[in-house]
Amino acid sequence: MRPVVLCFSGLDPSGGAGLQADIEAVGQAGAHAAIACTAVTIQSSQQVFGFEACAASLVKDQAIAVLDDLPVQVIKSGMLGTTDNIAMLTRLFAEHRIAADTPFVLDPVLVANSGGSLGDEQTLVTAFRELIAYSTLITPNTHELRALSGEEDLHIGAQKLCAQGAHAVLVKTSHDFESGDIKQYLYVKGEMVHQSTLPRLNGEFHGSGCSLASFIAGRLAMGDTLIDAVTSADNWITQTLRAADVPHPNDSKAQLIPNRFIRS
Ligand code: PLP
Protein backbone atom coordinates (compact mmCIF):
# COMPACT_ATOMS: atom_id res chain seq x y z
CA MET A 1 0.00 0.00 0.00
CA ARG A 2 1.00 3.63 -0.23
CA PRO A 3 3.17 4.78 2.67
CA VAL A 4 1.03 5.90 5.59
CA VAL A 5 1.22 9.18 7.50
CA LEU A 6 -0.58 9.07 10.85
CA CYS A 7 -1.88 12.60 11.52
CA PHE A 8 -3.02 13.82 14.93
CA SER A 9 -5.33 16.71 14.11
CA GLY A 10 -8.60 18.48 14.76
CA LEU A 11 -11.75 18.69 12.68
CA ASP A 12 -12.39 22.06 11.07
CA PRO A 13 -15.93 22.04 9.67
CA SER A 14 -15.06 24.63 7.01
CA GLY A 15 -12.68 22.11 5.45
CA GLY A 16 -9.85 24.62 5.13
CA ALA A 17 -7.56 23.46 7.94
CA GLY A 18 -7.11 20.55 10.31
CA LEU A 19 -7.68 16.95 9.39
CA GLN A 20 -9.22 17.69 6.00
CA ALA A 21 -6.14 19.70 5.04
CA ASP A 22 -3.98 16.79 6.23
CA ILE A 23 -5.90 14.16 4.25
CA GLU A 24 -5.81 16.21 1.06
CA ALA A 25 -2.16 17.31 1.35
CA VAL A 26 -0.83 13.88 2.29
CA GLY A 27 -2.85 12.38 -0.57
CA GLN A 28 -1.48 14.92 -3.04
CA ALA A 29 2.03 14.08 -1.88
CA GLY A 30 1.34 10.48 -2.94
CA ALA A 31 0.88 8.90 0.50
CA HIS A 32 -2.12 7.75 2.52
CA ALA A 33 -3.35 9.77 5.52
CA ALA A 34 -4.68 8.04 8.64
CA ILE A 35 -6.17 10.31 11.30
CA ALA A 36 -6.35 10.31 15.08
CA CYS A 37 -8.89 13.08 15.72
CA THR A 38 -7.80 15.30 18.63
CA ALA A 39 -10.63 17.83 18.75
CA VAL A 40 -13.79 19.00 17.08
CA THR A 41 -13.66 22.72 16.43
CA ILE A 42 -16.59 25.01 15.74
CA GLN A 43 -15.38 27.43 13.12
CA SER A 44 -16.04 29.00 9.78
CA SER A 45 -13.37 29.79 7.22
CA GLN A 46 -13.15 33.20 8.96
CA GLN A 47 -13.18 32.56 12.70
CA VAL A 48 -13.04 30.07 15.54
CA PHE A 49 -16.17 29.96 17.74
CA GLY A 50 -14.94 27.23 20.05
CA PHE A 51 -13.76 23.66 20.27
CA GLU A 52 -14.11 20.51 22.29
CA ALA A 53 -10.93 18.45 22.65
CA CYS A 54 -11.10 14.66 22.58
CA ALA A 55 -9.99 12.85 25.74
CA ALA A 56 -6.38 11.70 25.53
CA SER A 57 -7.46 8.06 25.96
CA LEU A 58 -9.78 8.38 22.95
CA VAL A 59 -7.03 9.89 20.80
CA LYS A 60 -4.58 7.23 21.95
CA ASP A 61 -6.99 4.38 21.13
CA GLN A 62 -7.49 5.78 17.62
CA ALA A 63 -3.72 5.98 17.12
CA ILE A 64 -3.10 2.46 18.44
CA ALA A 65 -5.77 1.03 16.14
CA VAL A 66 -3.88 2.53 13.19
CA LEU A 67 -0.39 1.68 14.46
CA ASP A 68 -1.44 -1.96 14.96
CA ASP A 69 -2.90 -2.15 11.48
CA LEU A 70 -1.18 0.02 8.89
CA PRO A 71 2.48 0.50 7.89
CA VAL A 72 2.89 3.95 9.42
CA GLN A 73 6.00 5.61 7.96
CA VAL A 74 5.63 9.14 9.31
CA ILE A 75 3.80 10.86 12.17
CA LYS A 76 2.38 14.37 11.77
CA SER A 77 0.72 16.40 14.48
CA GLY A 78 -1.32 19.58 14.17
CA MET A 79 -3.86 20.86 16.68
CA LEU A 80 -3.56 18.76 19.85
CA GLY A 81 -5.77 21.07 21.89
CA THR A 82 -4.82 20.02 25.43
CA THR A 83 -1.69 19.33 27.46
CA ASP A 84 -3.10 15.81 28.06
CA ASN A 85 -3.06 15.13 24.33
CA ILE A 86 0.48 16.48 23.99
CA ALA A 87 1.63 14.34 26.93
CA MET A 88 -0.11 11.28 25.47
CA LEU A 89 1.70 11.70 22.13
CA THR A 90 4.99 12.23 23.98
CA ARG A 91 4.39 8.95 25.82
CA LEU A 92 3.71 7.07 22.58
CA PHE A 93 7.26 8.02 21.55
CA ALA A 94 8.85 7.61 24.98
CA GLU A 95 7.34 4.16 25.46
CA HIS A 96 8.37 3.11 21.90
CA ARG A 97 4.77 2.61 20.83
CA ILE A 98 5.93 4.72 17.92
CA ALA A 99 9.40 3.58 16.79
CA ALA A 100 12.11 6.08 17.68
CA ASP A 101 13.31 6.38 14.07
CA THR A 102 9.85 7.27 12.70
CA PRO A 103 10.06 10.74 11.15
CA PHE A 104 7.78 13.14 13.02
CA VAL A 105 6.57 16.46 11.59
CA LEU A 106 5.36 18.64 14.46
CA ASP A 107 3.17 21.61 13.53
CA PRO A 108 2.88 23.23 16.98
CA VAL A 109 -0.59 24.71 16.54
CA LEU A 110 -1.49 27.32 19.16
CA VAL A 111 -3.82 29.69 17.33
CA ALA A 112 -5.67 29.72 14.01
CA ASN A 113 -4.57 32.11 11.27
CA SER A 114 -7.72 34.10 12.08
CA GLY A 115 -6.29 34.62 15.59
CA GLY A 116 -8.80 32.29 17.26
CA SER A 117 -7.54 30.21 20.18
CA LEU A 118 -7.07 26.48 19.64
CA GLY A 119 -6.00 25.78 23.24
CA ASP A 120 -4.55 27.47 26.30
CA GLU A 121 -1.35 28.90 24.86
CA GLN A 122 0.77 29.04 28.00
CA THR A 123 0.12 25.48 29.14
CA LEU A 124 0.44 24.11 25.59
CA VAL A 125 3.82 25.82 25.19
CA THR A 126 5.07 24.16 28.38
CA ALA A 127 3.77 20.73 27.35
CA PHE A 128 5.30 21.02 23.86
CA ARG A 129 8.80 21.22 25.39
CA GLU A 130 8.94 17.45 25.93
CA LEU A 131 7.34 16.53 22.62
CA ILE A 132 9.81 18.70 20.69
CA ALA A 133 12.62 16.28 21.59
CA TYR A 134 11.00 13.62 19.36
CA SER A 135 10.46 15.82 16.33
CA THR A 136 12.24 15.48 13.02
CA LEU A 137 10.88 18.79 11.79
CA ILE A 138 8.95 21.56 13.53
CA THR A 139 6.95 23.94 11.33
CA PRO A 140 5.95 26.84 13.60
CA ASN A 141 4.56 30.09 12.26
CA THR A 142 6.37 33.16 13.55
CA HIS A 143 4.01 33.55 16.51
CA GLU A 144 4.45 29.90 17.53
CA LEU A 145 8.23 30.05 17.11
CA ARG A 146 8.47 33.07 19.39
CA ALA A 147 6.09 31.54 21.94
CA LEU A 148 7.92 28.20 22.02
CA SER A 149 11.45 29.58 22.10
CA GLY A 150 10.87 32.75 24.12
CA GLU A 151 13.02 34.55 21.52
CA GLU A 152 12.00 37.50 19.38
CA ASP A 153 14.70 36.78 16.79
CA LEU A 154 13.51 33.97 14.51
CA HIS A 155 17.00 32.60 13.84
CA ILE A 156 17.93 32.41 17.51
CA GLY A 157 14.49 30.92 18.19
CA ALA A 158 15.06 28.16 15.61
CA GLN A 159 18.48 27.38 17.08
CA LYS A 160 16.92 27.20 20.54
CA LEU A 161 14.33 24.65 19.40
CA CYS A 162 17.15 22.55 17.90
CA ALA A 163 18.96 22.79 21.24
CA GLN A 164 15.75 21.49 22.89
CA GLY A 165 16.03 18.36 20.74
CA ALA A 166 14.25 19.14 17.46
CA HIS A 167 16.22 17.70 14.56
CA ALA A 168 15.11 20.51 12.23
CA VAL A 169 13.04 23.70 12.25
CA LEU A 170 11.42 25.35 9.24
CA VAL A 171 11.09 29.10 9.71
CA LYS A 172 8.88 31.23 7.48
CA THR A 173 8.44 34.96 7.79
CA SER A 174 4.89 34.85 6.38
CA HIS A 175 3.21 36.04 9.58
CA ASP A 176 5.56 38.99 10.00
CA PHE A 177 3.54 41.53 8.13
CA GLU A 178 6.38 43.29 6.47
CA SER A 179 6.00 43.88 2.75
CA GLY A 180 8.04 42.01 0.22
CA ASP A 181 8.72 38.35 -0.34
CA ILE A 182 8.53 35.65 2.30
CA LYS A 183 11.86 34.29 3.47
CA GLN A 184 12.17 30.71 4.52
CA TYR A 185 15.03 29.10 6.45
CA LEU A 186 15.61 25.46 7.27
CA TYR A 187 17.72 24.81 10.35
CA VAL A 188 19.09 21.32 10.99
CA LYS A 189 20.88 20.64 14.27
CA GLY A 190 21.17 24.38 14.84
CA GLU A 191 22.73 25.16 11.44
CA MET A 192 20.95 26.86 8.57
CA VAL A 193 21.14 24.34 5.71
CA HIS A 194 18.72 25.82 3.21
CA GLN A 195 17.06 29.14 2.51
CA SER A 196 14.63 30.28 -0.12
CA THR A 197 12.41 33.18 -1.08
CA LEU A 198 8.73 32.67 -1.80
CA PRO A 199 6.34 35.14 -3.38
CA ARG A 200 4.00 36.89 -0.94
CA LEU A 201 0.52 36.29 -2.34
CA ASN A 202 -2.38 38.62 -1.69
CA GLY A 203 -4.76 37.53 1.03
CA GLU A 204 -4.88 35.51 4.19
CA PHE A 205 -5.21 31.76 3.91
CA HIS A 206 -7.04 29.34 6.17
CA GLY A 207 -5.16 26.07 6.56
CA SER A 208 -1.96 26.91 4.71
CA GLY A 209 0.26 25.87 7.65
CA CYS A 210 -1.50 22.50 8.06
CA SER A 211 -1.29 21.86 4.32
CA LEU A 212 2.41 22.66 4.10
CA ALA A 213 3.40 20.51 7.09
CA SER A 214 1.29 17.59 5.89
CA PHE A 215 2.63 17.74 2.35
CA ILE A 216 6.18 17.64 3.77
CA ALA A 217 5.17 14.64 5.93
CA GLY A 218 3.72 12.93 2.84
CA ARG A 219 6.87 13.52 0.81
CA LEU A 220 9.04 12.21 3.67
CA ALA A 221 6.87 9.09 3.69
CA MET A 222 7.47 8.78 -0.06
CA GLY A 223 11.23 8.76 0.57
CA ASP A 224 12.28 12.37 -0.11
CA THR A 225 15.14 13.91 1.81
CA LEU A 226 14.15 16.72 4.15
CA ILE A 227 15.36 19.45 1.78
CA ASP A 228 13.62 17.83 -1.21
CA ALA A 229 10.39 17.43 0.78
CA VAL A 230 10.47 21.11 1.82
CA THR A 231 11.26 22.32 -1.71
CA SER A 232 8.54 20.23 -3.26
CA ALA A 233 6.05 21.38 -0.58
CA ASP A 234 6.91 25.03 -1.31
CA ASN A 235 6.13 24.60 -4.99
CA TRP A 236 2.93 22.76 -4.24
CA ILE A 237 1.65 25.15 -1.56
CA THR A 238 2.27 28.15 -3.81
CA GLN A 239 0.05 26.56 -6.46
CA THR A 240 -2.70 25.72 -3.94
CA LEU A 241 -2.69 29.33 -2.70
CA ARG A 242 -2.72 30.80 -6.21
CA ALA A 243 -5.75 28.59 -6.96
CA ALA A 244 -7.41 29.25 -3.57
CA ASP A 245 -11.18 29.41 -3.23
CA VAL A 246 -12.59 32.82 -2.28
CA PRO A 247 -15.61 32.40 0.04
CA HIS A 248 -16.33 36.14 0.31
CA PRO A 249 -15.37 37.90 -2.94
CA ASN A 250 -16.51 41.33 -1.70
CA ASP A 251 -14.47 41.26 1.50
CA SER A 252 -10.78 41.82 0.84
CA LYS A 253 -9.88 40.83 4.44
CA ALA A 254 -11.66 37.47 4.33
CA GLN A 255 -9.55 34.30 4.45
CA LEU A 256 -9.18 32.12 1.39
CA ILE A 257 -9.21 28.33 1.31
CA PRO A 258 -6.24 26.65 -0.39
CA ASN A 259 -7.27 24.51 -3.36
CA ARG A 260 -5.30 21.36 -2.68
CA PHE A 261 -6.63 19.49 -5.70
CA ILE A 262 -3.89 20.59 -8.01
CA ARG A 263 -1.01 18.45 -9.20
CA SER A 264 2.51 19.28 -8.13
N1 PLP B 1 -5.88 22.64 13.09
C1 PLP B 1 -7.17 22.98 13.17
C2 PLP B 1 -8.18 21.96 13.56
C3 PLP B 1 -7.54 24.26 12.87
O1 PLP B 1 -8.82 24.55 12.92
C4 PLP B 1 -6.55 25.22 12.48
C5 PLP B 1 -6.93 26.58 12.13
O2 PLP B 1 -8.03 26.99 12.03
C6 PLP B 1 -5.24 24.85 12.42
C7 PLP B 1 -4.95 23.55 12.72
C8 PLP B 1 -4.14 25.77 12.00
O3 PLP B 1 -4.41 26.28 10.75
P1 PLP B 1 -3.32 27.02 9.84
O4 PLP B 1 -2.82 26.01 8.86
O5 PLP B 1 -4.12 28.08 9.16
O6 PLP B 1 -2.25 27.51 10.74
Side-chain angles (χ1 to χ4, degrees):
M1 88 174 276
R2 285 170 293 160
V4 177
V5 179
L6 172 56
C7 305
F8 292 79
S9 58
L11 174 80
D12 164 12
S14 79
L19 62 84
Q20 184 166 332
D22 296 343
I23 293 168
E24 293 177 1
V26 169
Q28 290 291 310
H32 171 74
I35 302 288
C37 181
T38 55
V40 176
T41 72
I42 306 161
Q43 69 183 299
S44 66
S45 60
Q46 307 304 309
Q47 65 174 307
V48 180
F49 300 106
F51 71 89
E52 196 162 313
C54 298
S57 59
L58 178 59
V59 182
K60 180 182 175 187
D61 288 350
Q62 295 175 71
I64 297 290
V66 174
L67 288 163
D68 284 348
D69 179 41
L70 300 178
V72 174
Q73 305 275 350
V74 172
I75 304 291
K76 188 257 168 178
S77 68
M79 175 185 182
L80 290 165
T82 60
T83 56
D84 280 357
N85 281 340
I86 297 175
M88 178 276 306
L89 181 52
T90 307
R91 272 198 307 277
L92 289 180
F93 282 103
E95 294 169 2
H96 309 290
R97 201 57 200 78
I98 298 171
D101 58 355
T102 310
F104 170 34
V105 178
L106 167 54
D107 187 15
V109 174
L110 296 173
V111 285
N113 261 350
S114 61
S117 166
L118 294 172
D120 177 59
E121 177 156 330
Q122 209 38 57
T123 55
L124 294 183
V125 163
T126 307
F128 269 129
R129 289 210 180 106
E130 288 192 42
L131 186 57
I132 282 172
Y134 296 96
S135 64
T136 307
L137 176 69
I138 312 190
T139 60
N141 61 32
T142 47
H143 174 78
E144 290 156 352
L145 179 56
R146 289 183 173 122
L148 288 172
S149 68
E151 288 289 341
E152 184 58 22
D153 183 275
L154 299 176
H155 297 273
I156 299 174
Q159 288 163 341
K160 254 190 145 171
L161 295 191
C162 289
Q164 287 174 29
H167 173 71
V169 182
L170 185 67
V171 182
K172 258 187 204 312
T173 60
S174 34
H175 290 86
D176 273 358
F177 291 108
E178 68 230 13
S179 56
D181 292 337
I182 293 169
K183 302 275 186 231
Q184 180 179 267
Y185 310 95
L186 178 63
Y187 277 85
V188 173
K189 294 184 184 161
E191 303 287 330
M192 194 201 296
V193 298
H194 181 70
Q195 57 176 306
S196 50
T197 303
L198 307 169
R200 184 180 291 275
L201 304 175
N202 280 336
E204 273 296 302
F205 299 93
H206 179 67
S208 51
C210 307
S211 306
L212 180 83
S214 284
F215 194 90
I216 294 172
R219 288 310 312 169
L220 291 176
M222 297 298 287
D224 279 6
T225 63
L226 189 53
I227 291 182
D228 284 352
V230 167
T231 308
S232 135
D234 282 341
N235 292 334
W236 177 79
I237 198 79
T238 303
Q239 293 177 59
T240 70
L241 302 185
R242 285 197 202 283
D245 288 307
V246 185
H248 302 282
N250 297 327
D251 180 354
S252 62
K253 291 205 173 67
Q255 297 200 83
L256 316 183
I257 298 182
N259 177 356
R260 291 173 286 259
F261 286 93
I262 45 105
R263 283 270 149 217
S264 54

